[in-house]
Amino acid sequence: MAKKNKNKKEIAIIKKELTNGKLMKSEDALYINNPDYFLTFSDLEISDGIDIIENIMILSNNYINFNREDDDETLTDVELMEITEEYKEKESIEGGYICQSFDKIDHIINSYDDITVITVISNDLEVQEFYNDLKVVNSWKGFDNAKLNFGQIILLNHAFSPKLLIQLYKIATKQKAKFFESLHFPIHINNILNNEDFLVIASNLPEETLDQDYIMEIGLDITNMEYEDDDVDLAEFTQRIEDAVVISCEDALKKINLNIGILDYLVSEGILIGDLIEVGMSLLENMEPTDELKKKLETQMLKSMSDRNINALIVGAIRMEEDFQKGRVREIDLNEKLIHFYPDELIGATIANQIAGTKAVLNFRRYSKSKPGILYGLGPILSNTFAGLVAGSMTKILEE
C-alpha cells in the first residue's frame, strides 16, 4: 500500500495547451488531459494496449518511491495503480487513465500541425571537460547503473481506428530504433540506451461518439465507429510520423547536450590512457620509465588526440575495424589472408608522422611488430592505429 500522512508542499505546475489536450507537469508527474477522450495504443505499464481514456500519466520514480511502503521491492502494477489513484485524487484529476513510471520527467514538445510529439527524457549522463578540447561522457551513477531513456507520446489530431494506431505505433517504434542505431553510439552508451523507454500513440474519438444520446444508444463500440482512416494519404502521413519521431529525438539529444567524442570511443573499446602509457614505456632503451616521463607521455597523447587530423584518423580506424569485423564490406573478409592489404599500417604510420615526423614512423614499426601490452589484444587496424599514436608521442617527448 502507498504511504499515508505525507507533509503537503506547494508544487509548481507547468501548463501547456495542446492541439487536442492540455499538458501539465510538476516535479512529480507529467500528464496530458483530454476531456473529450483519447483512443490510444501504447506499451505503458498500466494499459490494456488499446484504451479509451482522458489522461496519459507519467509519474516520476522519486514520487513513486516516496509513496511506497517498501521501495526495495519490485514495483507491481497494483502498487502503481494505487499511487496513481492517490495522485489523481490529490490533484483533482477526473477520468480514466493509462500510466507509466519513469526515472525523470524532463520533456520537450514538438508540434507539426496535426502531430504533436512529447518526448520525456531520463538521462544520467553528462559531457565533462577532460583536456583542452577533449571531453568525455560520464555518469555520477557509473555506467552499470546509469540510464538514458527517451519515452514518446505522439498525439494525432485525427480520429483513427485501432488498426491504424497499431500500424503507426510499429512505424514510430522502428523509426526511433533506426535513428538511434544510425548514431553508432559507443557500446557502453548503447548498453544503457532506451532499456526503459515507452511509446504512446493517441488519437481523438470520432465526434459523434461524444454525444451522450449516441453513447446510450450505440455504446462505445470502437470497432464500428466512423474513423478518418480513408481521409488521409497514408504514405504521406507515415513519412510525417517518421520525420516527427526523428526530429524530436534529435531535439531531445540537443536538450541534454549529449555528443560523442574520441575518448568515448576509446572507453567503448576498453582502451585506457594508462594502458597506452604502459605500451610506450615497454620499449624504452637505456632509460627508466619514471613518473615524470609517464606524465609527459600522457600529456602528449592527449595533445595529439586534440589534433583534428589525428582525431579523425583514430575515429575512422575504430569505425573501419567494426565494419570489417562485422562483415559490412562485402569485398573484405578479415578471416582470409589478404595480400597487399595494409590500411592499418598506413593509418598508424600517418599518425606517427603527423605527431613527430619520419623518426616516429621508424618507431611505429617497432611497436607494430612487437605489439606490447594492450596492442596485442586489439584488432589489426586498432593495434596499428594506437601503435602509431604511442610511437609518435614517445618520439616527440624524447626529442624535446
Side-chain angles (χ1 to χ4, degrees):
M1 292 292 293
K3 296 179 181 178
K4 307 294 182 182
N5 301 320
K6 297 291 179 185
N7 294 325
K8 290 188 176 181
K9 60 180 180 178
E10 293 294 326
I11 297 176
I13 297 179
I14 298 172
K15 298 181 180 180
K16 174 74 174 179
E17 292 290 342
L18 306 173
T19 305
N20 50 343
K22 178 186 289 185
L23 180 146
M24 282 161 279
K25 177 190 176 283
S26 68
E27 66 181 53
D28 295 331
L30 178 150
Y31 64 95
I32 301 159
N33 175 265
N34 180 2
D36 291 333
Y37 297 92
F38 288 119
L39 176 62
T40 67
F41 184 77
S42 74
D43 54 17
L44 299 195
E45 293 166 293
I46 306 301
S47 168
D48 292 326
I50 296 175
D51 297 277
I52 297 176
I53 44 88
E54 292 152 281
N55 301 286
I56 302 169
M57 306 187 67
I58 313 298
L59 297 184
S60 74
N61 284 349
N62 283 341
Y63 177 80
I64 291 169
N65 290 335
F66 185 69
N67 286 276
R68 298 183 66 198
E69 288 290 349
D70 186 357
D71 56 16
D72 291 329
E73 296 293 327
T74 302
L75 178 69
T76 65
D77 289 350
V78 172
E79 272 190 294
L80 180 56
M81 289 178 67
E82 290 176 346
I83 294 170
T84 305
E85 292 287 355
E86 289 181 5
Y87 181 84
K88 285 182 63 207
E89 181 179 354
K90 180 183 71 172
E91 299 296 331
S92 301
I93 300 171
E94 300 292 334
Y97 65 90
I98 54 177
C99 183
Q100 176 78 16
S101 62
F102 207 57
D103 196 41
K104 298 182 179 69
I105 49 175
D106 294 332
H107 75 287
I108 61 170
I109 301 173
N110 296 79
S111 296
Y112 314 94
D113 296 326
D114 52 349
I115 301 172
T116 300
V117 183
I118 298 98
T119 304
V120 190
I121 306 165
S122 168
N123 172 48
D124 294 325
L125 305 182
E126 62 176 339
V127 180
Q128 299 177 342
E129 301 289 338
F130 195 84
Y131 176 87
N132 286 350
D133 293 332
L134 294 179
K135 300 177 182 180
V136 66
V137 174
N138 214 333
S139 171
W140 63 274
K141 287 185 175 181
F143 280 96
D144 288 339
N145 299 310
K147 296 179 181 180
L148 179 61
N149 295 300
F150 300 89
Q152 289 189 313
I153 302 168
I154 302 177
L155 306 180
L156 309 176
N157 196 20
H158 295 278
F160 287 152
S161 69
K163 181 179 178 181
L164 182 53
L165 289 185
I166 294 171
Q167 185 177 346
L168 295 175
Y169 173 92
K170 292 178 179 178
I171 289 168
T173 301
K174 288 180 180 178
Q175 189 64 20
K176 180 180 174 184
K178 183 178 178 181
F179 167 76
F180 281 108
E181 183 180 357
S182 72
L183 298 179
H184 294 285
F185 278 152
I187 190 169
H188 62 295
I189 295 178
N190 259 333
N191 285 343
I192 67 169
L193 176 64
N194 286 331
N195 292 324
E196 300 173 6
D197 62 345
F198 62 84
L199 179 62
V200 181
I201 298 283
S203 74
N204 304 323
L205 283 181
E207 288 187 9
E208 66 270 14
T209 64
L210 304 178
D211 182 81
Q212 291 300 314
D213 293 335
Y214 179 93
I215 294 174
M216 292 296 294
E217 180 181 354
I218 308 297
L220 288 177
D221 180 5
I222 61 174
T223 60
N224 293 312
M225 292 179 182
E226 295 293 328
Y227 295 108
E228 300 176 22
D229 296 16
D230 295 333
D231 297 336
V232 298
D233 181 335
L234 184 56
E236 186 266 347
F237 194 78
T238 295
Q239 183 64 58
R240 293 205 296 118
I241 286 283
E242 291 177 343
D243 292 344
V245 168
V246 169
I247 294 170
S248 301
C249 289
E250 289 175 340
D251 288 350
L253 288 172
K254 289 178 184 176
K255 178 179 174 62
I256 63 175
N257 194 31
L258 181 63
N259 46 62
I260 305 302
I262 187 170
L263 294 182
D264 302 307
Y265 288 111
L266 263 64
V267 171
S268 73
E269 297 294 331
I271 300 170
L272 304 178
I273 298 296
D275 295 331
L276 296 177
I277 291 172
E278 292 306 313
V279 169
M281 298 297 111
S282 64
L283 296 186
L284 276 176
E285 294 179 346
N286 305 318
M287 289 186 67
E288 289 296 322
T290 63
D291 290 341
E292 181 183 1
L293 190 61
K294 290 180 180 180
K295 184 62 179 177
K296 283 185 177 181
L297 178 58
E298 177 182 8
T299 301
Q300 180 57 52
M301 283 194 295
L302 292 173
K303 183 178 179 181
S304 297
M305 284 189 286
S306 299
D307 182 308
R308 292 181 179 179
N309 295 306
I310 295 172
N311 191 310
L313 286 168
I314 294 175
V315 172
I318 291 171
R319 293 288 180 84
M320 190 188 304
E321 184 88 76
E322 180 182 342
D323 286 346
F324 289 168
Q325 293 288 357
K326 294 186 177 181
R328 293 173 180 159
V329 182
R330 181 176 52 249
E331 293 81 6
I332 298 172
D333 183 355
L334 293 183
N335 294 319
E336 296 179 0
K337 187 173 182 179
L338 301 174
I339 301 173
H340 304 308
F341 182 75
Y342 41 82
D344 50 334
E345 295 181 15
L346 291 175
I347 294 173
T350 301
I351 291 174
N353 184 69
Q354 176 76 9
I355 298 171
T358 305
K359 188 174 181 180
V361 176
L362 297 176
N363 284 328
F364 158 70
R365 305 293 181 195
R366 294 174 60 225
Y367 285 104
S368 175
K369 183 177 181 180
S370 299
K371 291 188 176 11
I374 193 175
L375 298 186
Y376 183 79
L378 298 177
I381 295 172
L382 290 188
S383 175
N384 279 328
T385 296
F386 287 102
L389 175 67
V390 174
S393 299
M394 280 297 294
T395 305
K396 187 77 171 178
I397 64 171
L398 293 176
E399 289 186 338
E400 290 177 346

